[in-house]
């Protein structure tokens, strides 16, 4: 049987200060970008019309925009979509969005008629049409927000039941970190937030929690063995013992996501980006967010067991000089 990274003893937590600095910088840059410009919602959430068109030859974008204006579609956003001959035309101007409620598909039909009359049926083919009214878009946005809040609270309840409060709190902070970091990633990558991206966010929450739970489960088993070592060393032991499983699981997951990124097309690509980042940040947070926070909590509120006594004296018993327990002083 193939065994990789078996019986390793890497000191992963040693680098937690560097990891904390990188995380803080990443989150601050992301939050600053949110202040400069709001998040980019898709047609599904804002309402409006989107038409995906495939031309026989790459079109003149300026002429195409002028043709849309002449057809009564003011302020159309024209974007290349995948190959040089594929474009999306978005109409999100307030008056056009409002018209979707009174006559669904009116704007889409106007765009289609203008395209076919200008380029001909053989030179421009409408591949996809989405038309969402403002009321439907508002309801979808509210429902998506409710879905994320409910899933997050269910996650918190599950962690509270599965672990005692110290481990549960550390796992909750790590999961919250992954959620916020993924939102920052969406903004920095200028990805459009659609229903598919929301599904990706919910998946990332579950993936992140699963990785932390596996490490903390192994930590709990190792603590019961009552070895004469600090919590710092026991955490490193738990991470090393779950390392083969983590590498295989994350590699297979990342392979599937990369296939979606490369071959899945433009529609599913934002979802694949969210999942790829979720795999990375889920692994990162389980080692460099959950573990150091657990050590800090154990030191701040030590439990009345032999384990707590060992963790509280980590700076004396740990063979590693750069213990996070030392750094919390």
């Amino acid at each position: 049987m193939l065994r990789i990274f078996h019986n390793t003893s890497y000191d992963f937590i040693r680098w937690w200060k560097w990891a904390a600095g990188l995380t803080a910088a990443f989150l601050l840059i992301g939050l600053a970008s949110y202040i400069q410009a709001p998040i980019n919602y898709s047609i599904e959430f804002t309402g409006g019309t989107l038409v995906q068109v495939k031309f026989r030859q790459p079109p003149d974008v300026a002429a195409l925009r002028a043709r849309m204006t002449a057809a009564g579609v003011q302020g159309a956003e024209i974007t290349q979509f995948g190959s040089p001959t594929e474009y999306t035309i978005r109409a999100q101007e307030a008056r056009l969005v409002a018209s979707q409620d009174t006559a669904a598909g009116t704007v889409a039909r106007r765009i289609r008629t203008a395209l076919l009359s200008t380029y001909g049926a053989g030179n421009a083919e409408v591949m996809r049409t989405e038309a969402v009214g403002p009321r439907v878009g508002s309801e979808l946005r509210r429902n998506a927000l409710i879905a994320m809040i409910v899933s997050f609270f269910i996650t918190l309840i599950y962690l509270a039941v599965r672990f005692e409060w110290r481990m549960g709190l550390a796992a909750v902070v790590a999961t919250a970190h992954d959620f916020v970091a993924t939102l920052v990633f969406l903004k920095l990558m200028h990805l459009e937030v659609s229903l598919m991206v929301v599904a990706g966010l919910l998946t990332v929450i579950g993936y992140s929690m699963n990785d932390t739970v596996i490490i903390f489960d192994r930590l709990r088993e190792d603590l019961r063995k009552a070895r004469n070592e600090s919590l710092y060393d026991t955490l490193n032991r738990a991470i090393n013992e779950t390392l083969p499983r983590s590498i295989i699981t994350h590699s297979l997951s990342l392979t599937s996501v990369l296939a979606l990124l490369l071959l899945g097309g433009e529609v599913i690509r934002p979802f694949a980006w969210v999942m790829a980042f979720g795999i990375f940040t889920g692994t990162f947070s389980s080692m460099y967010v959950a573990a150091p926070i657990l050590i800090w909590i154990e030191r701040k509120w030590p439990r009345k067991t032999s384990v707590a006594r060992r963790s509280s004296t980590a700076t004396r018993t740990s063979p590693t000089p750069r213990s996070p327990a030392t750094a919390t002083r």
Side-chain angles (χ1 to χ4, degrees), residues 296-309:
W296 180 82
I297 292 174
E298 290 279 1
R299 186 163 181 80
K300 190 79 174 175
W301 294 280
R303 66 186 84 188
K304 296 177 180 178
T305 64
S306 58
V307 172
R309 287 194 296 273

Side-chain angles (χ1 to χ4, degrees), residues 6-222:
H6 184 61
N7 289 332
T8 57
S9 58
Y10 301 119
D11 187 359
F12 288 102
I13 308 177
R14 175 184 178 186
W15 306 102
W16 77 273
K17 286 185 178 178
W18 287 95
L22 288 174
T23 297
F26 179 74
L27 295 181
L28 286 175
I29 292 172
L31 293 176
S33 70
Y34 269 103
I35 293 173
Q36 290 181 342
I39 198 165
N40 183 23
Y41 287 108
S42 72
I43 293 284
E44 296 158 332
F45 294 135
T46 61
T49 304
L50 180 146
V51 177
Q52 181 183 343
V53 189
K54 184 173 184 179
F55 297 91
R56 183 184 292 275
Q57 299 293 331
D60 182 337
V61 176
L64 178 59
R65 181 171 288 106
R67 187 69 188 90
M68 290 296 110
T69 303
V73 183
Q74 303 290 335
E77 180 184 333
I78 301 173
T79 310
Q80 187 179 329
F81 186 81
S83 70
T85 58
E86 290 186 65
Y87 282 80
T88 59
I89 302 172
R90 296 169 183 268
Q92 290 181 281
E93 194 263 335
R95 179 180 57 82
L96 297 176
V97 172
S99 71
Q100 294 295 337
D101 262 358
T102 56
T106 300
V107 181
R109 282 196 295 273
R110 196 181 302 171
I111 294 174
R112 182 192 293 265
T113 301
L115 287 170
L116 296 182
S117 63
T118 304
Y119 297 96
N123 296 317
E125 180 183 2
V126 176
M127 307 295 292
R128 175 168 61 109
T129 301
E130 295 179 13
V132 181
R135 187 174 55 188
V136 175
S138 176
E139 289 176 359
L140 285 174
R141 189 163 51 185
R142 185 180 66 251
N143 292 340
L145 182 61
I146 291 173
M148 285 192 288
I149 292 174
V150 169
S151 65
F152 201 74
F153 273 100
I154 291 176
T155 301
L156 300 187
I157 293 171
Y158 170 76
L159 292 173
V161 171
R162 176 141 188 166
F163 297 109
E164 50 87 29
W165 73 270
R166 293 173 182 83
M167 287 187 182
L169 179 58
V172 165
V173 173
T175 304
H177 161 272
D178 292 342
F179 183 73
V180 174
T182 306
L183 289 179
V184 168
F185 175 77
L186 282 173
K187 188 67 177 65
L188 295 180
M189 290 287 290
H190 303 292
L191 295 177
E192 193 177 69
V193 177
S194 62
L195 287 175
M196 196 172 292
V197 168
V198 171
L201 278 168
L202 297 177
T203 309
V204 165
I205 291 175
Y207 194 93
S208 164
M209 180 186 66
N210 181 62
D211 207 53
T212 305
V213 164
I214 288 174
I215 292 177
F216 277 6
D217 262 343
R218 183 56 60 92
L219 171 67
R220 193 163 49 183
E221 292 174 8
D222 287 343

